């Protein structure tokens, strides 16, 4: 199984949109995909039309030694795409991880029993650089960082480099431009700078009502607007990820 | 995660519909569905618990087509195929069932779907086993949010392998992850009808109705090997596996009925030859020497037909990037290759019918049929299989690592010239004895070595394609009719294209070879060998 984490230090940059659309595109191209919604807000869970909550299991029981993911998996309306729903107790995930041995290995260990059942696991991470994020990144093959082309958001890449610097388990990192508004001079200028970074893919998800409609329709963009620039961008993003995960 | 199917011949579909609707199922409007199940000739996918189907929904023109790969461990994988006009070369016909042709898994787009399929099918094509058409109404019991809790597909007007099935309807229940109880409720509801239940989906039911054996036309199951068993017994067990394939494929070629038979026979002969070499001091020297000579003759007899067959299989890919006019200009060359293939297969069938070939086949099978304990072996016959296999693998990999070091030191492109035999040897040994290292180490070993052996094989195939094309071009030039200018140009273009591919492949082989001398690879090999020797 290949693990793709969608993460950013900053909130509101389109992480969940990227995670859900990436997962959907992966499932369309023949992968068995699991989205693990690690964000207590549960937006990915909501967008994939699954009820939040782990039947009371909660973050504490999950990270305990006997915790397992399989009983909490849920099907989505999309073939080949399952979700591990979020619940609000995930906001204490850091605290519970801090209480177990080898916390940075814990999320990876939880995924191990599912290795034969899925080809791709997409981790929708909450913002920040917490212990939970480090544990997620420890299990990750490819880190995808959506970046809004503003000065502060653009620092995210550098921050991730610092977090990962010197780690033996450092995952490959790619970034893509998110919520790009070509009418704004700042976006255009920062976009140019970002595209000069080695990790940045030439993929731009525009700020668009099409992406915003994911909320009311509770579906990936390609299901209701497959020919739009946003749908094409997410498709290209998955193709780029796939090339890295399964090189020629 | 397996489906069950409930079917009936004398209960109206409206009754099934009513029962399910009463259980909370909402049905979408019915649509035309065509499903074709695929497997290798020896049922490898079935044996591995995988089901591959080509599924086409909607009217013939503009149908939505996808490949679906299902197993018992999790979600089904769906690979959407583009509309026919935009399908990858070689897949155009595949998206127009029910006349589905054999499908080459290697022609699928790169990714997990292709990897899983290739892992199980090897390099073999997957063949259509049975096709079912039906009018399908899909029903769902959904959560408030709209996610499925239970899914049921109600098929009617079923046609199996071109014949109307004696079924009024069939209801296929597929468990939905996270909602076992909801599926059980539907099963209970359908249980009120006097209908027949079968394990598996409608395609499995269709296999039974059409009398198709899911294990394929040729059955071979891998031998059970242990590290401590005598090496002679282990070698003979693997040789027996290849002999069973050889035996079955032989008749397929002689009768001309099985398109995969030539591939099988070549594969079995190649693997057997490697094992005979590697069985030194394990197999009895007399048998080893005689069989080696005889199989060398057989390998030579097979070579021409094999190379032509491979070239034809690769033809759509080789010419895929060409304009339609160039492809048309190459048609005389293609036709010549086809004629050469027919001639070669006819000649091969004659050779296989000959007294010499019959004797080779019979004596080899007879020797393998003797009880292991009654067969004398070589000096190391009684040694543990794990120890012997590890030594052989270690030696093969050491030869490759030496070539890798030489290549890295000099950076000369010609330094991996002697690589192919060692790569073939290593691939065969790993296929036969890799599982002795345990699943995890075997997988790590394969991950470390397979990219090289696959690449070497791909480069060899390209070289053989180039030879086939040049020989056919010579044939064409010698023929009475004059070769048109555009055909001559297109042939030059194709040979230049092949030379370019070979050069690229050579570079790629060099890169893969260099990886064999890396610490990570050596660690994977050492780890596996240490376990095999334990």
């Amino acid at each position: 199984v290949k693990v793709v984490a969608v993460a950013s230090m900053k909130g509101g940059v389109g992480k969940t949109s990227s995670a859900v659309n990436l997962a959907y595109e992966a499932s369309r191209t023949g992968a068995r995909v699991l989205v693990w919604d690690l964000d207590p807000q549960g937006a990915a869970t909501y967008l994939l039309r699954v009820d939040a909550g782990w039947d009371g299991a909660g973050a504490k029981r999950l990270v305990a030694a006997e915790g397992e993911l399989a009983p909490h998996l849920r099907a989505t309306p999309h073939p080949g795409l399952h979700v591990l729903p979020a619940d609000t107790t995930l906001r204490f995930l850091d605290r519970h991880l801090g209480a177990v041995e080898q916390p940075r290995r814990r999320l990876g260990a939880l995924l191990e029993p599912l290795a034969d059942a899925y080809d791709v696991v997409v981790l929708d991470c909450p913002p920040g650089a917490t212990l939970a994020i480090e544990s997620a990144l420890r299990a990750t093959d490819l880190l995808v960082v959506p970046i809004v082309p503003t000065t502060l958001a653009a620092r995210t890449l550098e921050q991730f480099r610092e977090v990962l610097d010197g780690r033996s388990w450092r995952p490959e990192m790619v970034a893509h431009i998110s919520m790009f508004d070509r009418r704004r001079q700042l976006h255009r200028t920062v976009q140019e700078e970002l595209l000069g970074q080695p990790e940045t893919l030439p993929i731009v998800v525009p700020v668009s009502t099409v992406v915003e409609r994911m909320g009311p329709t509770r579906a990936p963009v390609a299901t209701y607007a497959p020919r739009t620039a946003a749908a094409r961008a997410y498709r290209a993003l998955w193709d780029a990820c796939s090339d890295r995960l399964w090189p020629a | 995660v397996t489906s069950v199917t409930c079917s009936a011949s004398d209960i109206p579909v409206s009754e099934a519909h009513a029962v399910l609707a009463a259980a909370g199922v909402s049905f979408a409007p019915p649509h035309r569905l065509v499903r074709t199940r695929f497997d290798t000739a020896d049922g490898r996918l079935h044996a591995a618990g995988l089901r591959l189907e080509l599924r086409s929904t909607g009217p013939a023109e503009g149908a939505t087509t996808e490949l679906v790969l299902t197993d018992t461990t999790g979600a089904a994988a769906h690979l959407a195929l583009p509309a026919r006009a935009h399908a990858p070369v070689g897949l155009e016909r595949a998206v127009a069932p029910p006349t589905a042709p054999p499908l080459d898994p290697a022609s699928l787009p790169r990714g997990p779907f292709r990897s899983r399929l290739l892992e199980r099918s090897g390099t073999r094509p997957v063949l259509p086993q049975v096709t079912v058409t039906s009018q399908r109404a899909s029903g769902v019991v959904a959560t408030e949010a709209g996610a499925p809790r239970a899914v049921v597909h109600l098929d009617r007007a079923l046609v199996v392998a071109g014949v109307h099935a004696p079924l009024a309807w069939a209801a296929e229940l597929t468990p939905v992850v996270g909602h076992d109880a909801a599926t059980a409720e539907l099963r209970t509801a359908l249980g009120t009808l006097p209908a027949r239940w079968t394990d598996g989906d409608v395609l499995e039911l269709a296999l039974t109705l059409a009398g198709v054996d899911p294990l394929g036309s040729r059955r071979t199951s891998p031998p059970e090997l242990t590290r401590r068993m005598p090496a002679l017994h282990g070698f003979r067990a693997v040789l027996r596996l290849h002999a069973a394939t050889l035996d079955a494929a032989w008749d397929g070629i002689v009768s001309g009925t099985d398109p995969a038979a030539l591939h099988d026979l070549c594969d079995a002969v190649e693997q057997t030859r490697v094992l005979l070499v590697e069985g030194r001091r394990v197999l009895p020297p007399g048998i080893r020497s005689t069989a080696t000579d005889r199989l060398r003759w057989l390998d030579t007899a097979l070579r021409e037909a094999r190379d032509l067959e491979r070239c034809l299989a690769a033809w759509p890919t080789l010419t895929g990037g060409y304009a339609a006019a160039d492809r048309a200009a190459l048609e005389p060359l293609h036709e010549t290759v086809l004629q050469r293939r027919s001639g070669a297969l006819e000649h091969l069938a004659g050779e296989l019918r000959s007294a010499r070939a019959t004797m080779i086949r019979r004596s080899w099978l007879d020797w393998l049929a003797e009880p292991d304990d009654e067969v004398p072996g070589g000096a190391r016959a009684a040694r543990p299989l794990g120890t012997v296999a590890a030594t052989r693998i270690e030696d093969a990999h050491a030869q490759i690592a030496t070539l890798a070091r030489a290549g890295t030191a000099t950076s000369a492109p010609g330094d991996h010239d002697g690589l192919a035999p060692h790569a073939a040897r290593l691939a065969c040994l790993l296929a036969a004895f890799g599982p002795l290292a345990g699943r995890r180490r075997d997988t790590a070993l394969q991950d470390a070595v397979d990219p090289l052996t696959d690449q070497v094989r791909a480069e060899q195939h390209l070289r053989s394609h180039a030879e086939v094309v040049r020989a056919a071009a010579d044939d064409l030039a010698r023929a009475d009719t004059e070769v048109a200018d555009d055909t001559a140009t297109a042939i030059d273009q194709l040979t230049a294209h092949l030379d370019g591919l070979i050069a690229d492949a050579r570079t790629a082989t060099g890169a893969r070879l260099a990886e064999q001398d890396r610490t990570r690879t050596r660690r994977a090999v050492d780890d596996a060998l240490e376990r095999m020797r334990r």
Side-chain angles (χ1 to χ4, degrees):
Chain A
V1 64
K2 305 287 187 186
V3 181
V4 178
V6 183
S8 172
M9 303 285 175
K10 199 172 177 308
V13 296
K15 285 188 299 296
T16 298
S17 300
S18 289
V20 168
N21 284 295
L22 263 184
Y24 176 74
E25 293 299 336
S27 71
R28 290 262 305 148
T29 53
R32 299 165 299 165
V33 185
L34 172 67
V35 173
W36 186 353
D37 191 352
L38 286 164
D39 189 337
Q41 292 182 67
T45 305
Y46 175 84
L47 293 175
L48 291 169
R49 290 183 177 266
V50 171
D51 301 320
W54 289 343
D55 303 331
K60 186 176 182 179
R61 274 172 57 191
L62 194 69
V63 299
E66 68 278 10
E68 56 175 338
L69 302 182
H72 310 297
L73 302 174
R74 291 289 178 270
T76 73
H78 313 291
L81 176 54
H82 293 170
V83 67
L84 191 67
D87 79 355
T88 51
T89 64
L90 279 172
R91 65 188 191 280
F92 305 122
L93 186 56
D94 266 339
R95 189 199 303 165
H96 299 313
L97 276 173
V100 300
E101 280 183 28
Q102 297 191 313
R104 287 178 185 79
R105 290 176 184 268
R106 187 62 194 133
L107 297 190
L110 281 166
L111 282 172
E112 251 171 43
L114 302 177
D116 285 339
Y118 295 97
D119 302 305
V120 179
V121 175
V122 177
L123 305 177
D124 182 25
C125 301
T130 59
L131 183 58
I133 299 290
E134 279 199 53
S135 186
L137 294 182
R138 179 80 170 79
T140 293
D141 296 291
L142 183 66
L143 166 62
V144 177
V145 186
I147 303 178
V148 179
T150 60
T151 315
L152 281 179
R155 291 184 58 234
T156 258
L157 267 182
E158 189 51 44
Q159 288 166 328
F160 267 123
R161 283 192 205 111
E162 282 167 20
V163 170
L164 298 173
D165 200 29
R167 305 279 188 188
S168 59
W169 42 265
R170 182 182 179 136
E172 187 176 358
M173 177 163 67
V174 293
H176 73 90
I177 311 241
S178 179
M179 302 168 75
F180 176 69
D181 186 347
R182 64 187 169 88
R183 293 166 302 182
R184 296 176 63 181
Q185 175 64 40
L186 177 66
H187 276 207
R188 293 201 301 273
T189 309
V190 177
Q191 182 207 18
E192 287 300 315
E193 287 168 18
L194 284 170
L195 288 173
Q197 305 273 345
E199 296 93 346
T200 311
L201 301 167
I203 292 168
V204 177
V205 179
V207 65
S208 163
T209 53
V210 166
V211 181
E212 286 168 9
R213 272 171 55 202
M214 285 180 72
T217 52
R218 299 182 72 173
V221 172
T223 59
Y224 58 82
R227 293 179 200 284
T228 55
R232 285 200 301 272
Y234 287 127
R235 204 168 301 136
L237 180 59
W238 169 246
D239 287 345
C241 292
S242 179
D243 284 347
R244 280 159 177 76
L245 295 169
W246 290 276
Chain B
V1 192
T2 49
S3 306
V4 286
T5 299
C6 170
S7 62
S9 53
D10 49 3
I11 304 170
V13 68
S14 55
E15 278 192 39
H17 201 281
V19 161
L20 290 168
V25 176
S26 304
F27 280 98
H31 56 269
R32 180 174 180 270
L33 176 70
V34 184
R35 304 168 77 183
T36 301
R37 178 171 156 144
F38 285 85
D39 206 331
T40 60
D42 56 356
R44 288 182 188 194
L45 300 184
H46 178 85
L50 287 175
R51 313 278 181 269
L52 175 67
E53 66 171 287
L54 181 67
R55 200 179 280 182
S56 185
T57 312
E61 289 304 319
T64 307
T65 307
E66 62 180 358
L67 282 167
V68 182
L69 190 60
T70 315
D71 67 13
T72 53
T73 60
H78 294 248
L79 176 64
L81 294 175
R84 191 175 180 179
H86 306 290
V89 174
L91 279 176
E92 306 97 326
R93 288 182 301 155
V95 300
T99 52
L103 186 65
D104 177 7
S107 69
L108 295 173
R110 194 150 39 90
F113 195 101
R114 185 177 78 160
S115 300
R116 287 173 69 212
L117 206 48
L118 278 172
E119 188 185 323
R120 297 301 183 183
S121 65
T123 52
R124 307 169 56 113
V126 287
L127 312 172
Q129 288 188 312
V130 69
T131 295
V132 180
T133 61
S134 65
Q135 285 294 321
R136 165 167 283 194
S138 294
V140 177
V141 180
T143 63
E144 272 184 37
R149 289 178 62 234
V151 175
V152 60
H153 301 291
L154 194 54
D155 288 306
R156 60 183 180 81
L158 285 132
V159 177
V160 176
V163 178
H164 283 283
L167 297 172
W169 53 270
E172 183 180 303
L173 280 172
T174 304
V176 175
V177 169
H179 298 287
D180 296 344
T183 306
E185 283 168 21
L186 290 192
R187 190 167 180 162
T188 306
L190 279 169
T192 59
L193 299 172
R196 191 166 62 108
W197 287 91
T198 46
D199 287 333
D201 61 10
V202 168
L203 271 177
E204 304 249 353
L205 179 62
L207 285 177
T208 311
L209 291 171
V212 177
D213 186 344
L215 287 170
S217 53
R218 291 192 293 281
R219 300 177 190 191
T220 48
S221 53
E224 285 184 16
L225 303 178
T226 61
R227 293 192 288 270
R228 295 194 173 280
M229 76 193 295
L232 175 67
H233 296 189
F235 269 77
R236 278 172 54 86
V238 181
L239 286 169
R240 261 197 295 272
L241 173 76
H242 296 310
T245 307
L246 179 143
D247 190 35
W250 197 295
D251 293 331
I253 293 175
V254 171
S255 64
T257 52
D258 186 347
L262 180 61
H263 173 91
D264 285 350
L265 187 56
C266 291
D267 193 44
V269 169
E270 185 187 338
Q271 309 274 322
T272 303
R273 289 186 68 202
V274 172
L275 288 167
L276 284 170
V277 173
E278 298 301 323
R280 58 188 177 276
R281 294 193 285 280
V282 172
L283 301 169
I287 290 284
R288 202 175 144 252
S289 145
T290 312
T292 301
D293 288 344
R294 289 171 173 174
L295 284 166
R296 186 183 303 127
W297 172 82
L298 188 56
D299 189 54
T300 308
L302 287 165
R303 194 168 298 156
E304 187 185 4
R306 177 196 66 191
D307 290 351
L308 286 158
E309 189 73 41
R310 276 186 190 152
C311 182
L312 284 166
W315 194 271
T317 312
L318 291 175
T319 60
Y322 291 10
D326 289 338
R327 278 209 296 270
L330 280 173
E331 203 40 49
L333 183 75
H334 187 230
E335 189 58 37
T336 307
V337 179
L338 283 168
Q339 282 169 6
R340 287 174 66 94
R341 195 255 313 253
S342 300
L345 280 174
E346 205 173 305
H347 176 73
L348 177 61
E351 291 278 61
L352 295 183
R353 277 192 218 100
S354 68
R356 181 179 187 188
T358 308
M359 181 271 293
I360 289 175
R361 177 187 186 183
R362 198 63 273 149
S363 60
W364 182 237
L365 292 172
D366 285 350
W367 181 70
L368 286 170
E370 288 175 34
D372 284 343
D373 292 332
E374 293 174 18
V375 173
R380 294 183 182 168
R383 285 198 177 181
L385 177 64
T387 308
V388 173
T391 306
R392 303 291 195 256
I393 292 170
E394 187 173 38
D395 181 52
H397 191 264
Q399 301 279 0
I400 288 172
T402 304
L403 286 170
R405 270 194 295 280
T408 312
T410 63
S411 299
D415 279 341
H416 48 268
D417 271 347
L419 174 63
H422 295 306
R425 187 179 154 209
L426 186 58
C428 170
L429 286 168
L430 290 186
F433 304 120
L436 291 174
R439 189 176 170 191
R440 190 170 61 79
R441 288 178 179 83
D442 184 28
T443 305
L445 186 55
Q446 285 178 24
D447 287 348
V449 172
D450 280 1
L452 172 71
T453 54
D454 289 351
Q455 177 58 36
V456 170
R457 195 179 299 123
E459 186 186 330
Q460 281 183 306
H461 287 186
L462 283 169
R463 289 179 191 286
S464 124
H465 300 341
E467 282 176 23
V468 166
V469 164
R470 289 202 165 92
D474 288 347
D475 266 11
L476 201 58
R478 281 196 295 266
D480 293 338
T481 46
E482 198 173 322
V483 180
D485 285 348
D486 59 344
T487 297
T489 309
I491 290 173
D492 287 345
Q493 189 186 352
L494 179 59
T495 48
H497 176 49
L498 275 164
D499 289 343
L501 290 176
I502 290 168
D504 292 347
R506 193 172 183 76
T507 307
T509 303
R512 295 289 190 208
L513 179 58
E515 287 165 16
Q516 295 305 306
D517 195 34
R518 302 249 159 88
T519 309
R520 197 172 63 171
T521 307
R522 284 202 305 268
R523 193 174 296 148
V525 175
D526 291 347
D527 248 19
L529 298 183
E530 189 267 329
R531 178 62 180 262
M532 286 168 81
R533 288 187 168 113
R534 216 182 271 171

